[in-house]
Amino acid sequence: MKVLLLIFSVFVLGAGFASGQKEIACATAALVADANTGVDVRSGAGANSKILKTIPPEAAGTTVIIDGSKGGWIKISRATNSRKIVVFSGIGWVRASQLLVKTRSESTDAVEFYGSAGTETEAVVAGTVRAGLDVILQGCSGVWLKVLLPEQGTDGRPGWLPHTSYCGSHWDDWENCETSSGR
């Protein structure tokens, strides 16, 4: 009985802790990672939250405007497909892992990533990856994105990218992103 009570307490306290996470404000954009499947937009940051709408699949991609992050979920205010048709407008949440950005560099084929968000003069460089990589989101803070960077022999390494090191929109910076990677 004591074991059952302990397991129940850990489960309840753990669930309470996760739901008590604070939302972090963000101001950026990203793309839906899988252009072949729809993405559920939910009323809250959690798999049990009500589905408000499903962003339809779009072979050429869909851009989302990001307003916040909470516990592996991204708060969005709009989703626009490649034909510039708004397919979602309002406040909703999607799993961070369903979004991506492309790394970019203005001057080289290498993109610096950081161990934490901050200003580029304060943050410590944790390593580099090549420009032109699609990287999956994990979270955000301001205009910084926490992403999962490819690393040989692992499922990936978390790192932070400042807004100057990624493309998240078809229209504002996608051409520069494509050309900066040497393609």
Side-chain angles (χ1 to χ4, degrees):
M1 184 63 160
K2 287 182 182 180
V3 173
L4 185 57
L5 182 59
L6 177 63
I7 292 170
F8 177 75
S9 297
V10 169
F11 178 76
V12 170
L13 291 175
F17 176 75
S19 64
Q21 291 180 338
K22 184 179 178 183
E23 180 183 333
I24 299 169
C26 306
T28 191
L31 292 163
V32 171
D34 186 348
N36 299 314
T37 61
V39 173
D40 290 335
V41 180
R42 297 184 177 272
S43 61
N48 293 328
S49 296
K50 178 184 173 190
I51 296 174
L52 301 174
K53 182 161 186 157
T54 299
I55 297 172
E58 172 74 23
T62 299
T63 299
V64 297
I65 302 302
I66 297 174
D67 297 322
S69 175
K70 181 178 179 181
W73 290 80
I74 300 293
K75 183 180 181 181
I76 67 168
S77 58
R78 189 173 71 240
T80 308
N81 69 20
S82 62
R83 296 173 310 232
K84 297 190 178 183
I85 297 170
V86 175
V87 293
F88 174 79
S89 182
I91 300 298
W93 293 83
V94 298
R95 287 185 189 276
S97 61
Q98 293 179 304
L99 302 175
L100 66 79
V101 293
K102 186 178 289 286
T103 59
R104 77 161 173 197
S105 173
E106 298 281 329
S107 57
T108 69
D109 282 339
V111 175
E112 293 180 334
F113 65 90
Y114 299 81
S116 62
T119 65
E120 289 178 67
T121 55
E122 294 174 344
V124 177
V125 174
T128 62
V129 293
R130 70 176 169 82
L133 287 177
D134 290 343
V135 291
I136 299 294
L137 270 61
Q138 291 190 313
C140 58
S141 179
V143 293
W144 286 71
L145 290 178
K146 185 176 183 183
V147 297
L148 192 59
L149 300 158
E151 186 171 66
Q152 190 172 2
T154 71
D155 288 336
R157 175 182 182 181
W160 288 87
L161 295 174
H163 68 96
T164 56
S165 296
Y166 64 84
C167 298
S169 163
H170 284 95
W171 307 286
D172 298 331
D173 51 19
W174 200 252
E175 184 176 312
N176 292 334
C177 196
E178 291 294 321
T179 58
S180 69
S181 65
R183 290 187 273 177

